[in-house]
Amino acid sequence: MSTRLKIIVTLVLLLLLGGLGAADYFLSGDEYAAKLIENPDASSASSSESYIPTVGTQKQSGPDVLNVITAAGYTTQKSEELSFLAQIAGSGASVSSAIILKNDDRAGSVTWTDSRNVKNQFIALKEALLGAFSSRVSDLRDETKVETDSPVRNILSFSDPALSEERLVFVRVRERLYEFHLAKGKEDMMIGLIEEITTK
């Protein structure tokens, strides 16, 4: 199977999973969420968060991403690049994306979406990616970070040339899901920026 075909198949799978998740959520309320994370160890061995129902008061939203990037000394450009989040979020979701530049040189990109169903989206994303990884996947990390004075963050990161030429980092924090692409040679720089954005 060619690289192009693998990417197309992966995007179709993500779209289908997102659609199924949204349909099931709207038809059965909280049942879908409860079933998916009935056993927290199945999705993340290190996760210490419990399930929070998708009803009640809206939780704190994330920071103004573009302002944080600018304040850190970067510039941004509008992005129309394909992203995994756009596929998993579904057609009705609001998805924002930007290319990140440092001294007019690409450092990477960021895509983000807000949802009260973000935990289930993150689980569906991980399951879809697991089936799409090639034999060349490397530096795969799936972790939950719990730090003083910072929100709990679920992080999935990896490199797989069959899916992207750049390292990919996905972060779930509060009710927001991020997708970061890290340009080659700019990984350390971008990791610092990811910390700035996701710990606010």
Side-chain angles (χ1 to χ4, degrees):
M1 185 181 290
S2 70
T3 299
R4 181 184 177 88
L5 185 56
K6 282 184 181 179
I7 292 173
I8 292 172
V9 169
T10 299
L11 293 176
V12 169
L13 285 173
L14 287 171
L15 183 59
L16 287 174
L17 282 171
L20 287 173
D24 193 55
Y25 173 73
F26 286 114
L27 291 174
S28 60
D30 289 341
E31 291 179 18
Y32 180 66
K35 286 178 184 175
L36 273 180
I37 55 178
E38 206 166 50
N39 177 11
D41 294 334
S43 61
S44 175
S46 59
S47 176
S48 60
E49 279 192 284
S50 58
Y51 169 64
I52 299 173
T54 55
V55 294
T57 305
Q58 181 77 14
K59 292 192 290 185
Q60 181 181 352
S61 62
D64 184 318
V65 176
L66 299 182
N67 281 350
V68 174
I69 293 171
T70 302
Y74 296 82
T75 55
T76 61
Q77 286 182 352
K78 183 178 178 181
S79 172
E80 295 182 2
E81 297 175 0
L82 289 176
S83 70
F84 292 101
L85 287 196
Q87 302 301 318
I88 201 73
S91 58
S94 174
V95 179
S96 302
S97 189
I99 295 170
I100 301 170
L101 305 169
K102 185 70 171 179
N103 300 324
D104 294 325
D105 190 21
R106 179 186 171 93
S109 67
V110 59
T111 301
W112 68 97
T113 184
D114 293 293
S115 170
R116 300 183 73 184
N117 198 33
V118 69
K119 288 187 179 181
N120 295 328
Q121 289 179 340
F122 188 60
I123 291 169
L125 176 68
K126 290 201 296 184
E127 291 176 348
L129 287 170
L130 184 63
F133 286 148
S134 74
S135 59
R136 294 185 290 167
V137 66
S138 62
D139 200 16
L140 176 61
R141 299 177 188 176
D142 183 3
E143 57 189 341
T144 297
K145 287 192 174 182
V146 182
E147 300 168 329
T148 306
D149 299 326
S150 294
V152 175
R153 294 177 294 159
N154 301 115
I155 303 171
L156 174 69
S157 62
F158 61 89
S159 294
D160 190 340
L163 297 178
S164 174
E165 294 180 358
E166 300 176 321
R167 180 167 180 76
L168 297 176
V169 178
F170 297 90
V171 182
R172 198 286 304 174
V173 55
R174 297 191 181 97
E175 294 186 343
R176 180 171 286 177
L177 187 55
Y178 293 95
E179 173 180 339
F180 295 95
H181 290 230
L182 285 58
K184 290 182 179 178
K186 304 294 192 331
E187 291 90 351
D188 290 344
M189 177 190 302
M190 283 292 294
I191 290 297
L193 182 59
I194 290 171
E195 288 288 312
E196 285 283 324
I197 294 171
T198 62
T199 56
K200 299 291 185 186

